Amino acid sequence: MKDELFLRGEKVPMTKEVVRALALSKLELHRASHLIDVGAGTGSVSIEAALQHPSLHVTAIERNPAALRLLDENRQHFACSNIDILPGEAPMALTGKADAVFMGGSGGHLTELIDWAMHQLHCGGRLVMTFILQENLTTALAHLEQMGVHDVDCLQLQVSSLTALGSGHYFKPNNPVFVIACQKEEHHV
């Protein structure tokens, strides 16, 4: 989905189109019935997942009041009745396990969130995280290794978009984004 389709607000984060497409692919939602979106922001990941997989139940967690309003507006705009919005901050108590967890932000509690996310997942469930900070990437990789998660898919995306400049064009770069994807196995319980 194009980023322009989503209602946007000042200082409300949104996972951009290219990153979102990769993250959704890595979540392997074709075999999922429940997705948890941590730090949902505008809801771009939740909404695109819900639209692509109408039988998927999505739990969108967000703590920012402005983002919560925008998330609800986007949910209504796209008529996504399969998204439940939970105001608050993860980690939080949830009922039932998930098949996939997406984390677009950590709020400074990255290792605690990774532990919580793995606890929320069924065996075989997918965890996908995106970061722009090198320190978060390093912390996440080290923590996953310490947990015994060795089959980790890690990519850095550097996307540039063709942009007009005077009478010519150039490729305007976006910030690099790190994407980590892994699966919960029996020994990660």
Side-chain angles (χ1 to χ4, degrees):
M1 292 176 63
K2 297 274 185 205
D3 290 341
E4 296 78 26
L5 295 175
F6 293 94
L7 304 173
R8 300 291 308 273
E10 268 187 52
K11 299 186 180 183
V12 175
M14 182 172 89
T15 302
K16 302 296 188 290
E17 180 181 349
V18 174
V19 177
R20 190 170 59 248
L22 178 62
L24 289 169
S25 170
K26 296 292 183 184
L27 285 165
E28 298 180 8
L29 296 176
H30 61 280
R31 58 186 188 90
S33 61
H34 184 205
L35 164 67
I36 299 171
D37 181 1
V38 179
T42 62
S44 65
V45 170
S46 291
I47 288 164
E48 190 160 349
L51 291 173
Q52 285 180 6
H53 306 278
S55 64
L56 181 69
H57 173 244
V58 180
T59 302
I61 300 172
E62 179 55 56
R63 64 182 180 179
N64 177 336
L68 283 165
R69 284 189 297 276
L70 197 55
L71 172 59
D72 188 44
E73 288 174 19
N74 274 312
R75 176 179 64 174
Q76 290 176 40
H77 178 74
F78 289 100
C80 291
S81 60
N82 53 337
I83 299 175
D84 290 329
I85 298 173
L86 292 182
E89 188 170 350
M92 62 173 42
L94 297 177
T95 57
K97 297 279 185 179
D99 304 295
V101 175
F102 173 74
M103 288 190 335
S106 65
H109 307 285
L110 182 55
T111 57
E112 187 179 1
L113 281 174
I114 292 171
D115 292 342
W116 174 82
M118 289 300 241
H119 179 72
Q120 297 304 314
L121 287 169
H122 291 292
C123 285
R126 305 282 299 166
L127 171 61
V128 174
M129 302 174 279
T130 60
F131 308 106
I132 58 171
L133 296 178
Q134 178 75 45
E135 291 80 3
N136 284 345
L137 172 70
T138 304
T139 298
L141 289 172
H143 192 67
L144 289 169
E145 184 175 340
Q146 182 183 30
M147 293 175 72
V149 181
H150 299 294
D151 189 12
V152 176
D153 186 6
C154 183
L155 300 166
Q156 177 186 355
L157 289 178
Q158 176 63 63
V159 178
S160 301
S161 303
L162 187 65
T163 305
L165 179 63
S167 62
H169 292 82
Y170 78 110
F171 279 91
K172 181 179 181 180
N174 293 328
N175 288 331
V177 177
F178 306 106
V179 180
I180 294 177
C182 61
Q183 185 166 306
K184 179 178 179 177
E185 304 293 346
E186 295 272 341
H187 63 281
H188 300 142
V189 177

